[in-house]
């Protein structure tokens, strides 16, 4: 593909103002994609957009959107349609955690979590897939979590369930649209060095976790892009998490439940988000 053709390729990254989303935007821009940058903090998105345009000679579009609000996905879709932007690579990455027990969480916070982690992922796939199918080519990366792969530590009941939804939806869409040129991947980070833990008051929970359990956001972005390019519907970080998931997956469910309870009592700081 020559440079002019490459410049017409567009990716859309939600949660591009920080962490894993910024890493996705940087990686995709370096691969020649123009990028739609989505999050609430417009100033950060504008700064990132200017940096990417400068470094890689690509185009960016900033969409300052609160994805917890009803109608946000449709407005985003209309904004890209209005610019004649055809999304080839959709990255559903925006997300957040809440560090409280299920019954202590505010109903509004839970509603926002469902909107951002579940509804947004389902609806952006619904909105952008038809164009991809019509063009016979598309890539979707949905950022899930190790918390969606295995029974989750106590206190992450809703978050883990949202991430399980993301994995299931990704696998199902991959199977349903794979023969139409569409690859869908759920990438499942474990602990990753981003701003995730600050707003959720989880910094103390994770501060003593050893380096073996941590990834850099750039590693997660590369993992997701390589997996979706290769047509793998599920991508787990190499090393600790992949081995852990394999071993835990072999155990009977009741042993997994016992481990979660035990783990929670003795080492709440090793929650594989
Ligand atoms: N870090 C980890 O250990 C870890 C592990 C497993 C999975 N994950 C998942 O990875 C994804 C990225 O998280 P991260 O670690 O990169 O966290 P982060 O550094 O806190 O970034 C979160 C991003 O999501 C955006 N966001 C949050 N709420 C939003 C809303 N209502 N509307 C629009 N954008 C919103 C934020 O942007 P604004 O605040 O500007 O809106 C920010 O860009 C999430 O889905 C998270 O669940 C993270």
């Amino acid at each position: 593909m020559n440079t002019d053709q490459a410049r017409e390729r567009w990716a859309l990254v939600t949660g591009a103002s920080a962490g894993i989303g910024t890493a996705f935007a940087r990686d995709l821009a370096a691969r020649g994609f123009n990028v739609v940058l989505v999050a609430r903090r417009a100033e950060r998105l504008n700064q990132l957009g200017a940096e990417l345009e400068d470094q890689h000679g690509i185009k960016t579009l900033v969409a300052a959107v609160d994805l917890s609000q009803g109608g946000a996905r449709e407005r985003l879709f209309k904004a890209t349609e209005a610019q004649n932007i055809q999304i080839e690579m959709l990255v559903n990455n925006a997300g957040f955690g809440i560090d409280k027990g299920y019954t202590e969480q505010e109903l509004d916070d839970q509603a926002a979590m469902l909107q951002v982690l579940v509804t947004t992922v389902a609806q952006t796939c619904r909105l952008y897939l038809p164009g991809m199918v019509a063009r016979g080519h598309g890539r979707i990366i949905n950022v899930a979590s190790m918390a969606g792969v295995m029974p989750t530590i106590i206190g992450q009941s809703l978050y883990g369930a949202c991430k399980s939804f993301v994995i299931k939806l990704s696998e199902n869409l991959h199977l349903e649209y794979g023969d139409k040129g569409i690859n869908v991947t759920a990438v499942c980070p474990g602990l990753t060095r981003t701003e995730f833990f600050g707003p959720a008051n989880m910094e103390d929970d994770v501060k003593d976790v050893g380096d073996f359990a941590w990834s850099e956001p750039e590693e997660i972005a590369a993992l997701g892009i390589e997996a979706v390019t290769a047509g793998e519907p599920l991508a787990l970080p190499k090393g600790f998490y992949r081995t852990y998931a394999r071993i835990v997956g072999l155990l009977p469910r009741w042993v997994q439940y016992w481990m979660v309870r035990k783990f929670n009592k003795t080492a709440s700081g090793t929650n594989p988000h």
Side-chain angles (χ1 to χ4, degrees):
M1 182 171 286
N2 69 35
T3 312
D4 285 337
Q5 281 170 317
R7 286 203 173 142
E8 293 314 311
R9 305 177 75 195
W10 279 90
L12 185 151
V13 181
T14 70
S17 62
I20 296 170
T22 298
F24 266 112
R26 289 209 169 105
D27 195 324
L28 290 165
R31 293 173 199 247
F33 279 90
N34 304 306
V35 193
V36 182
L37 303 165
V38 183
R40 290 167 299 185
R41 286 171 287 179
E43 200 177 313
R44 281 192 180 204
L45 297 178
N46 284 324
Q47 259 174 22
L48 178 63
E51 173 200 314
L52 299 181
E53 289 182 11
D54 203 37
Q55 280 184 358
H56 303 292
I58 53 121
K59 297 180 212 161
T60 62
L61 175 72
V62 165
V65 175
D66 183 346
L67 294 166
S68 70
Q69 301 299 307
R73 280 70 51 171
E74 294 90 329
R75 284 196 294 282
L76 175 62
F77 180 68
K78 280 185 187 151
T80 53
E81 289 285 287
Q83 304 270 338
N84 276 326
I85 289 173
Q86 299 181 338
I87 300 299
E88 176 182 334
M89 172 86 74
L90 170 64
V91 183
N92 274 309
N93 161 78
F96 63 94
I98 312 172
D99 187 28
K100 284 181 190 158
Y102 188 73
T103 55
E104 280 85 54
Q105 295 172 358
E106 297 296 334
L107 278 178
D108 284 351
D109 292 342
Q110 291 189 340
M113 179 169 271
L114 288 164
Q115 284 287 330
V116 178
L117 272 63
V118 173
T119 308
T120 293
V121 178
Q123 293 196 335
T124 54
C125 289
R126 169 65 186 85
L127 290 164
Y128 286 105
L129 255 172
M132 294 179 178
V133 171
R135 293 187 291 278
H137 179 80
R139 303 283 178 258
I140 299 177
I141 301 171
N142 294 323
V143 179
S145 167
M146 289 303 297
V149 178
M150 306 178 279
T152 316
I153 202 161
I154 292 157
Q156 295 295 321
S157 296
L158 184 62
Y159 179 83
C162 291
K163 294 303 191 180
S164 294
F165 171 92
V166 171
I167 292 170
K168 194 76 182 161
L169 180 72
S170 306
E171 290 177 321
N172 290 350
L173 290 176
H174 186 79
L175 294 171
E176 189 172 346
Y177 291 97
D179 64 354
K180 298 188 168 60
I182 313 298
N183 291 349
V184 185
T185 295
V187 63
C188 301
L191 293 171
T192 307
R193 289 195 176 88
T194 68
E195 298 169 18
F196 183 88
F197 304 98
N201 291 321
M202 292 183 198
E203 274 168 340
D204 274 355
D205 294 349
V206 295
K207 69 179 187 327
D208 297 327
V209 181
D211 278 348
F212 71 93
W214 287 92
S215 301
E216 297 303 326
E218 293 75 17
E219 294 174 75
I220 300 300
L223 174 70
I225 295 167
E226 279 153 27
V228 84
T229 305
E232 293 164 14
L234 189 63
L236 271 52
K238 281 188 191 141
F240 171 64
Y241 290 106
R242 216 174 273 191
T243 310
Y244 182 64
R246 276 205 190 117
I247 294 169
V248 171
L250 294 173
L251 301 172
R253 213 65 175 168
W254 69 266
V255 179
Q256 296 183 31
Y257 301 149
W258 176 83
M259 282 175 67
V260 169
R261 289 206 182 93
K262 177 98 179 145
F263 198 44
N264 196 56
K265 281 187 192 134
T266 56
S268 63
T270 45
N271 180 7
H273 296 285

